[in-house]
Amino acid sequence: MTIPYGEDEALLGSAPGGENLMLGPSYGAQAPDGSWWFLDAAKDRLAHYDRDGSYVGSVYLPEDYLVDGVYFQYQLPRVLADGTVVAARFDETSTEFLISSGNELRKTSIAGAQIPRADDGSILFGFDFEGTQWSLDPTTAEWQPVDWFRGQDGSSYRIGIVEDGFLFARPDPAIEMMIPVRSTVGPGAVHPTIEVAVGADGVTHVFLLGISESDESIQLAGYATIGADGVPSDLEPMINPFTPADPGHPSHLGVAFGSSKPYFMIIGEDGVQIYQRS
């Protein structure tokens, strides 16, 4: 599915990004009902589309929600189990969360740069710049350090980059393993970043993006799963998701609450492209 850009309200926006670039939205996320919400920065709104890509409506941000009354800057969108849309923006000293529920907007701030990377349908999980794991209840803005993230199926897990691969662990049943990451580019070490989403069936979906020391000019992308039984799949190659319109946020991979089908999103030059497993 592709949702194109344009001036019409039913189309997503794009805006100048320097050096003659036009940047698309700051990504989107799928709701439990199958519809899609996008952080449409160029039009200062949350844009809503049905599961087939038809325009539903928008929630526009007032001026006091924008940085200096001009800049959108929210990213890392998520849609929780009750349909609440949550996004974040952060600096070194604080994090602000944008929360939209029932077409009503509010925002809340917490101290420190807390970067959300996962959720269980109601609680956000992420890292700070020091690598500490935390959980946040967006309804109360209460956050705390945690040892484990939690998936929408209730399972606990920990995942992170280590040398030559990534580490995955669960407390029950006890699993801890290093999954190596290699490239056909050459024997040099691979330096990836990671995105993760857990489906309703307990399967953990992992998207890896990085470069190899053998040839740093080549963008590497791969996808793997870890079953509910802890058994990892082989790493399979993915297309390079970066385009000149990409704002550079790590929001390609997701699984809607109540679903076990992952989606993969690319901010293309002519529109947002969404791929979903059947």
Side-chain angles (χ1 to χ4, degrees):
M1 179 175 73
T2 298
I3 302 177
Y5 308 140
E7 297 296 326
D8 190 273
E9 184 182 40
L11 302 177
L12 292 170
S14 61
E19 297 294 328
N20 298 317
L21 298 178
M22 295 294 287
L23 298 181
S26 297
Y27 283 87
Q30 190 175 32
D33 64 3
S35 65
W36 299 89
W37 284 93
F38 292 93
L39 302 180
D40 193 354
K43 297 183 179 180
D44 296 334
R45 63 176 181 168
L46 304 176
H48 194 197
Y49 293 80
D50 69 17
R51 65 171 61 245
D52 298 318
S54 297
Y55 180 66
V56 175
S58 294
V59 179
Y60 287 89
L61 272 62
E63 186 175 304
D64 62 339
Y65 278 62
L66 306 175
V67 176
D68 296 330
V70 177
Y71 303 107
F72 187 89
Q73 291 191 349
Y74 289 104
Q75 56 177 286
L76 304 175
R78 299 190 173 276
V79 186
L80 304 181
D82 64 357
T84 298
V85 182
V86 181
R89 65 183 179 205
F90 42 84
D91 55 32
E92 292 183 356
T93 61
S94 66
T95 304
E96 182 177 284
F97 290 92
L98 173 70
I99 302 170
S100 176
S101 180
N103 289 342
E104 294 185 1
L105 280 176
R106 63 186 179 90
K107 58 182 178 178
T108 186
S109 295
I110 62 175
Q114 316 291 348
I115 305 169
R117 302 305 301 268
D119 70 86
D120 67 356
S122 60
I123 302 297
L124 304 180
F125 298 90
F127 302 92
D128 63 21
F129 287 157
E130 304 300 321
T132 301
Q133 298 181 155
W134 57 268
S135 68
L136 169 89
D137 184 340
T139 64
T140 63
E142 294 180 356
W143 69 276
Q144 61 184 345
V146 294
D147 292 327
W148 304 95
F149 287 6
R150 188 169 56 244
Q152 60 166 298
D153 67 323
S155 63
S156 297
Y157 68 97
R158 183 187 300 123
I159 192 166
I161 297 297
V162 294
E163 186 175 356
D164 295 327
F166 65 96
L167 181 72
F168 181 83
R170 283 186 179 147
D172 185 21
I175 297 170
E176 184 167 332
M177 56 186 169
M178 197 283 280
I179 300 175
V181 176
R182 298 287 186 267
S183 167
T184 57
V185 171
V190 174
H191 301 284
T193 59
I194 194 168
E195 296 181 32
V196 61
V198 180
D201 57 359
V203 174
T204 302
H205 302 267
V206 181
F207 173 61
L208 296 158
L209 192 66
I211 58 172
S212 168
E213 290 182 357
S214 297
D215 189 343
E216 296 184 3
S217 69
I218 298 177
Q219 179 68 66
L220 305 176
Y223 166 79
T225 62
I226 303 169
D229 57 1
V231 176
S233 72
D234 292 333
L235 184 66
E236 61 182 85
M238 296 278 284
I239 59 175
N240 180 357
F242 286 129
T243 74
D246 194 313
H249 303 154
S251 299
H252 304 89
L253 176 73
V255 180
F257 186 84
S259 173
S260 297
K261 298 178 180 179
Y263 61 80
F264 186 73
M265 191 173 296
I266 294 176
I267 307 300
E269 293 185 75
D270 299 316
V272 174
Q273 303 159 17
I274 301 170
Y275 303 89
Q276 196 155 26
R277 295 233 168 184
S278 58

